[in-house]
Amino acid sequence: MHNGEKILFLTPAAPGFYVLNPCLDEAGAVCEASREPVVAWAVDALGSTIPVTPHEVLSGDDDHAILCPDGEVRSYDGAWESVADWLEEQKAKVQHDKLR
C-alpha cells in the first residue's frame, strides 16, 4: 500500500476505470501505457479520492493517471482527451528530463 494517509472507507468502482502508468523501453523512453483496472476508490483522512487496483492502493505521489470510461485521461495535475494525448505528454516529459 503506497498511501501514507489513513483510509477512512472504500467504495466499489464502476467498470471502465483504469490506472495508467508510463512504461519505459531499454533506452529509457516511454513506449506505451500499462493499464490496471480500478476496483475501488478509497477516501483518506484528507478527503482525497485514491484509486485501488487489485495490487495496491495508490497515492497522489505516484506518476499515474486515470483512464475514464469515456476515454478521457485525468491525473492530479491535468486532463487529456485520450490515452494517446496523455502518452505523448509523458514521452515529452521523459525527453525533457533527459536533456537536463
Side-chain angles (χ1 to χ4, degrees), residues 1 3 5-13 38-45 47-52 57-58 76:
M1 182 160 101
N3 188 281
E5 296 298 323
K6 180 179 178 185
I7 300 297
L8 299 179
F9 65 90
L10 294 171
T11 188
V38 175
V39 296
W41 301 100
V43 176
D44 68 14
S48 299
T49 304
I50 303 153
V52 179
V57 177
L58 302 172
Y76 291 103

Side-chain angles (χ1 to χ4, degrees), residues 2-74:
H2 287 165
N3 188 281
E5 296 298 323
K6 180 179 178 185
I7 300 297
L8 299 179
F9 65 90
L10 294 171
T11 188
F17 288 91
Y18 294 87
V19 172
L20 299 178
N21 283 294
C23 295
L24 305 178
D25 63 17
E26 296 85 21
V30 174
C31 59
E32 63 181 342
S34 69
R35 297 177 190 208
E36 189 159 13
V38 175
V39 296
W41 301 100
V43 176
D44 68 14
L46 298 175
S48 299
T49 304
I50 303 153
V52 179
T53 70
H55 297 106
E56 61 193 331
V57 177
L58 302 172
S59 73
D61 299 334
D62 294 323
D63 189 24
H64 68 268
I66 303 296
L67 172 60
C68 301
D70 65 0
E72 184 178 47
V73 176
R74 293 177 173 253

